[in-house]
Amino acid sequence: MLFVEHRNTDPYKNHAIEEFLMNKFDEDCFMLWKNEKCILIGNYQNAYNEINIDYVKQYNIPVVRRITGGGAVFNDEGNFNFSFISCNVSEDCFNFKKFTTPIVLALNKLGIKAELSGRNDLTIEGKKFSGNAQYKSKNKVLHHGTLLFSSNISDLANALRVNPIKIESKGIKSVKSRVTNICEHLKISMTTEEFKEYLFNEVYSTTENAKIYQITEDDWKEINQIAEEKYSTWEWNYGQNPQFTMEREKKFVGGIVQASMNFNKNKIQNIKIHGDFFSEKDISIVENALIGVSYDYKSMYEVLKDFNMHNYFMNISIQNILDVLI
């Protein structure tokens, strides 16, 4: 496994690095990295639904769309991110336990009882400190997650617009009461850099055939191009969201699904499906199949029954999707 080292904190470039590594190497990779203050949204989310736009504008906070599914997360100087890239193991898609176990074990050695909880969260005493997401491309899987170490929880709560459905489903009153920082649970005080060094060394020492990889000048040229042409663009991060005449949403085991639709003579003219779900395939394939279909249960079912829903909406059934649409 290649352990990729760098000190970059530009969020556009950091996500470009992940894409670069996915394309360049046929070896497993690990990376521990930090972003400057920003918001990262899931690939299938509507940016305007997930962020406090006034707060983001006031403090000039970058919003970056990931290639992975899942929900919106806040990064600042007190947060780390970790990435695993796994090759030639298609069955690892959505295997969150495999990739979070090294993090959990490292925290256990510090006396912290961390655990994988729900779909994709790591928690301490029931409070979230890490959200995780995955992306599959051919025979490779990208898994990455956040690690709240000493983040400003007030900034986090102010920057994000957390859907009330998510809060209610967990039986909590606010975002602040749901999350925690790792530093609050340490028996011995550590700085952010000391914790980063500890975690990196712990994963490195427990991995067979581990090798350090330093990003080269030629690598940076490709990374910068990916960041400039994709991750830093308004088209990628916000996109042109058309006005829709109907908005519907529901929460399932596999996450929140939101549907926005326009109609013409009772037929679907435009449709966009958003949410914090995970998907192995391109959601636009499902959306395009529904355009021109009559807006009734039977017609939409006849279209959707030919899809393997698990490939497009993990742990969400065809009945669930129809419950959202109609």
Side-chain angles (χ1 to χ4, degrees), residues 41-176:
I41 62 172
N43 191 16
Y44 311 111
Q45 292 189 299
N46 181 333
Y48 297 104
N49 287 344
E50 305 302 325
I51 65 175
N52 179 343
I53 193 68
D54 292 332
Y55 189 86
V56 166
K57 285 183 177 180
Q58 181 181 353
Y59 294 99
N60 197 29
I61 301 174
V63 175
V64 187
R65 185 179 298 278
R66 310 185 304 266
I67 59 174
T68 58
V73 296
F74 176 79
N75 279 189
D76 64 6
E77 296 78 5
N79 175 87
F80 291 103
N81 297 282
F82 67 95
S83 302
F84 284 100
I85 296 173
S86 183
C87 301
N88 301 314
V89 276
S90 58
E91 68 274 10
D92 283 335
C93 195
F94 305 129
N95 183 350
F96 290 94
K97 185 175 182 179
K98 172 183 176 178
F99 297 107
T100 55
T101 293
I103 307 301
V104 169
L105 293 177
L107 291 173
N108 289 167
K109 288 187 178 181
L110 293 175
I112 297 175
K113 294 181 179 180
E115 61 181 349
L116 179 64
S117 175
R119 285 191 309 156
N120 60 324
D121 293 344
L122 292 179
T123 60
I124 301 170
E125 298 175 3
K127 292 188 175 184
K128 176 179 176 178
F129 69 90
S130 173
N132 292 262
Q134 293 186 0
Y135 168 76
K136 181 182 178 184
S137 177
K138 298 178 181 178
N139 63 333
K140 296 181 181 179
V141 174
L142 165 66
H143 176 111
H144 56 196
T146 56
L147 292 169
L148 295 177
F149 181 79
S150 58
S151 288
N152 187 317
I153 303 301
S154 292
D155 282 351
L156 182 155
N158 289 328
L160 299 179
R161 290 180 58 194
V162 179
N163 194 314
I165 292 178
K166 185 174 289 188
I167 296 293
E168 292 164 5
S169 70
K170 296 181 182 293
I172 54 179
K173 295 181 180 180
S174 68
V175 177
K176 288 184 180 181

Side-chain angles (χ1 to χ4, degrees), residues 45 84 94 145 164 169 203 217 225 232 235 260 274 294 310 322:
Q45 292 189 299
F84 284 100
F94 305 129
S169 70
V203 178
E217 286 189 23
Q225 184 175 356
S232 64
E235 288 77 12
S260 305
H274 296 290
S294 296
H310 181 76
L322 287 166

Side-chain angles (χ1 to χ4, degrees), residues 66-314:
R66 310 185 304 266
I67 59 174
T68 58
V73 296
F74 176 79
N75 279 189
D76 64 6
E77 296 78 5
N79 175 87
F80 291 103
N81 297 282
F82 67 95
S83 302
F84 284 100
I85 296 173
S86 183
C87 301
N88 301 314
V89 276
S90 58
E91 68 274 10
D92 283 335
C93 195
F94 305 129
N95 183 350
F96 290 94
K97 185 175 182 179
K98 172 183 176 178
F99 297 107
T100 55
T101 293
I103 307 301
V104 169
L105 293 177
L107 291 173
N108 289 167
K109 288 187 178 181
L110 293 175
I112 297 175
K113 294 181 179 180
E115 61 181 349
L116 179 64
S117 175
R119 285 191 309 156
N120 60 324
D121 293 344
L122 292 179
T123 60
I124 301 170
E125 298 175 3
K127 292 188 175 184
K128 176 179 176 178
F129 69 90
S130 173
N132 292 262
Q134 293 186 0
Y135 168 76
K136 181 182 178 184
S137 177
K138 298 178 181 178
N139 63 333
K140 296 181 181 179
V141 174
L142 165 66
H143 176 111
H144 56 196
T146 56
L147 292 169
L148 295 177
F149 181 79
S150 58
S151 288
N152 187 317
I153 303 301
S154 292
D155 282 351
L156 182 155
N158 289 328
L160 299 179
R161 290 180 58 194
V162 179
N163 194 314
I165 292 178
K166 185 174 289 188
I167 296 293
E168 292 164 5
S169 70
K170 296 181 182 293
I172 54 179
K173 295 181 180 180
S174 68
V175 177
K176 288 184 180 181
S177 63
R178 184 191 174 199
V179 299
T180 189
N181 276 310
I182 294 170
C183 68
E184 298 172 12
H185 304 273
L186 289 171
K187 293 180 172 33
I188 300 175
S189 178
M190 300 174 76
T191 66
T192 54
E193 284 304 310
E194 286 172 340
F195 176 76
K196 181 181 179 182
E197 183 178 359
Y198 164 78
L199 186 58
F200 186 92
N201 290 336
E202 192 64 30
V203 178
Y204 184 86
S205 65
T206 55
T207 301
E208 292 184 3
N209 301 318
K211 297 175 288 186
I212 300 294
Y213 182 83
Q214 300 283 352
I215 296 177
T216 68
E217 286 189 23
D218 287 339
D219 292 343
W220 278 117
K221 290 177 183 178
E222 292 187 49
I223 291 165
N224 290 337
Q225 184 175 356
I226 296 170
E228 182 179 342
E229 295 178 355
K230 182 174 181 177
Y231 291 100
S232 64
T233 65
W234 183 90
E235 288 77 12
W236 169 255
N237 293 315
Y238 287 91
Q240 304 220 13
N241 291 311
Q243 295 297 311
F244 291 98
T245 56
M246 182 180 288
E247 304 275 349
R248 290 177 58 82
E249 69 175 355
K250 282 183 178 290
K251 186 179 188 303
F252 307 105
V253 173
I256 295 173
V257 179
Q258 302 160 326
S260 305
M261 294 172 280
N262 278 333
F263 305 95
N264 182 24
K265 296 181 180 180
N266 203 43
K267 292 187 176 182
I268 299 173
Q269 187 176 26
N270 289 304
I271 180 169
K272 189 67 180 175
I273 301 174
H274 296 290
D276 65 353
F277 51 84
F278 296 106
S279 177
E280 185 177 337
K281 294 189 175 181
D282 189 350
I283 298 300
S284 66
I285 298 172
V286 178
E287 295 168 341
N288 292 335
L290 288 166
I291 293 175
V293 175
S294 296
Y295 187 63
D296 62 75
Y297 185 96
K298 182 179 178 181
S299 297
M300 290 192 290
Y301 175 79
E302 286 299 312
V303 172
L304 295 178
K305 70 179 176 62
D306 294 328
F307 287 92
N308 181 346
M309 281 296 147
H310 181 76
N311 291 335
Y312 298 89
F313 307 93
M314 177 188 170

